[in-house]
Amino acid sequence: MERYDLIVIGAGPSGLSAGIEAAKAGASVIIFDENEKPGGQLFKQIHKFFGSKEHRAKVRGFNIGYQLLKEADEAGAKVELLATVLGIYQDKEVVVKIKDGIKHYKADSIIVATGAAENMVPFKGWTLPGVIGAGAAQTMLNLHGILPGKKVLMLGSGNVGLVVSYQLKQCGCDVVALVDAAPRIGGYGVHAAKISRMGIPFYLPYTIKKVEGTDHVTGVTIAKLDPSFKFIEGTEMHFDVDTVCVAVGLSPMSQLLKMAGCKMEDNPRKGGQVPIIDEHGQTSIPGIFAAGDVSGIEEASSAMIEGRQAGIYAANYLGYIEDELMKEKEDELDKALDGLRQGMFAPSNRGKKIEKTEEGIDISNNLLAKGFVADEEIERFPGVVHKLGIHPVMECTQNIPCNPCQDACPKKCIKIGSKITSLPAVDESVDCIGCGMCVASCPGQAIFLVNENVGEGMAEITLPYEIYPLPEVGEKGIALSRAGHPLCIAEVIKVRTGLAFDKTAVLTIRVPKEFAMKARFYKNEKLAKSV
Amino acid sequence: MEVRIKEHPILGEVKKGRLVKFTHDGQVFEGYEGEPIAVALKAAGVLVHRYTEKKHSPRGVFCAIGRCTDCVMIVNGEPNIRTCVTPLKEGMTVDTQYGTSDEPFVKELKEAK
Amino acid sequence: MHELVDRSLKDEEFEEREDDDMLICRCEEITKGEIRRAVHDGMYTMAEIRRYLRCTMGLCQGQTCAKLVKGIVAKELGVSPDKLEPATSRSPMRPTEMYIIANEEK
């Protein structure tokens, strides 16, 4: 038996954050994780995070993972990998499987940060090899460098479905369709717009009728649903695919807490069975805390803050932090967490249809139904202006807690203000220098630089680009619309890849000026033939 | 079908261990040491990992993180090994699992094997 | 859960449906029809269903299907799924071979 002040279960974003705070306060901390590598899902999250500076916005998930590991190491929190917690027993005894044996540990406090598991939905053929979870696709692509398939259909339009579709496309997979049984896209509009302009069509409200194949997937049939979720005859569509990816939400992995005897509740708004916790994340058992997705499904950014809070509360429970200092840190973290829980995707808005932005502008219905803002809708948003010379066009049309663009602009021509969810607006009195920092900093890839008239009837558009091979200056390809439809020939004028852009190439294309406000993606012709 | 990513636009060059040989149902394949067995099989074009006990239906990788246990196979003679989280080693024998055995259920399948 | 102990709640005849052959529990290969029938056989709680059919008791320990099974049982009983208590959580949380359990550090 080994004794620690605090045992943390799960070395994902919240568990690591919890361990770091408690260890910094002086507690002896061990963090168990059943996986070979720490970081939970962070090392699969290769997109730039939303939020503001204190939420590590615009930093890619896997880099946040490295930062947390370093912090844990410096704080002296021990991370034990391939260590599966099999049970929590009376008086905070934790039984762990390590290698081929069983070890017993004891602590005065436990933080459970076991995260979530993927939900599944059954359909005909869902057990065939080739039907996989979206998490599996992410694991194969980003951890193991292998494509899950060549032609993929994605089921589920939440952020996971949208982000994984993008990641598949980034690696050269053909995502033939994104399908959701709901009538509206569930995830961020900017994530949807990003894949829509790459040519992925959205089908809503559709779902899978059957997956075909004898030994593995060879095709899939989808069909439209009526309001009572019944298939509408005659709406069937068939796709030849080798992979079907399922991204239909997450459920808290809370079984350990239930086993420990914590009071539980079934809370659909939190994603299922969760422990009942107080404002300090403490469960009904004094000294046992829960943090991150296990206490309610949210983003990794929130999980990290909840983890820090739990670490601080546990340190206070253990006597390492005075009440006053705890209160001080608590206020700061509460503010950061509140910031993330604002806007139209806030937990309190789950399931509601939001008609207008906080600014009173009508939400784009086309974005919710088809994945892109229609040409006639885009002009009403404050980030979209027309002026002489190069200027930013910010197609950010939903209130989400995110503001890196405001800090990215060295000339301060982008204004969000103190409310982190406000839509970015262009300060037209300041001249844009075309540096591209805002383009690369936007986690939603919603910022473009447009020069509507460069002479000879042409316009130039600067856009974010994250696909290999990068286009070469001088080559010609096709400009795509927000819907991913080919518009015209585009010439590549500039390809910038500065370190500050963090792997987002900033591409400038030249198109006839009537397409200045329409062309939003570039497809090189070589690629055009193969895809 | 080339399914291995050589260079990823965000993650850069994909780093792997050394190339090692292993067998799948008697056939020799190559994969990278330390990567999950399932990944090496995927690169070799093997999608069916097992056939289920009751309905004899094919299964392959489903969750890829060791939770769902759909990808289990007989590895070095031991059944129920989660190939998505078990690292590949030189000389491993990886066999299709039928129920919990390496013996195909019916004559036709035996012949195919 | 107490309100579900009323065994008269569900006394209609079992009616076959088109999607009864849909596999729900991937490990133990239990279909939707079997789960629905189990409710008509008098299994009203998740613990009873689990012991009666073995669904959620396979290698994955219900990781994939527990929520699906719960949904089907709740629908058959005509109650909201949050009224059904999940089955007991027990150690070991993950499938563990007996020789490992026996290899306990003193």
Side-chain angles (χ1 to χ4, degrees), chain B residues 17-35:
Chain B
R18 67 186 175 110
L19 260 185
V20 295
K21 288 191 165 53
F22 69 98
T23 63
H24 170 254
D25 289 348
Q27 203 184 339
V28 179
F29 286 114
E30 279 188 330
Y32 293 99
E33 187 174 50
E35 71 181 359

Side-chain angles (χ1 to χ4, degrees), chain A residues 129-207:
Chain A
V131 176
I132 58 172
Q138 219 174 13
T139 305
M140 288 194 235
L141 290 170
N142 303 336
L143 287 189
H144 306 308
I146 196 151
L147 306 182
K150 282 262 155 160
K151 284 174 90 99
V152 186
L153 180 129
M154 178 69 69
L155 178 68
S157 72
N159 277 338
V160 174
L162 300 173
V163 167
V164 174
S165 296
Y166 180 75
Q167 292 175 358
L168 285 160
K169 198 85 184 167
Q170 242 177 339
C171 294
C173 300
D174 183 11
V175 181
V176 299
L178 198 146
V179 177
D180 200 310
R184 297 186 301 272
I185 290 169
Y188 288 176
V190 283
H191 278 319
K194 203 163 80 174
I195 61 171
S196 178
R197 62 178 178 256
M198 293 169 113
I200 301 178
F202 284 76
Y203 294 93
L204 293 91
Y206 275 73
T207 196

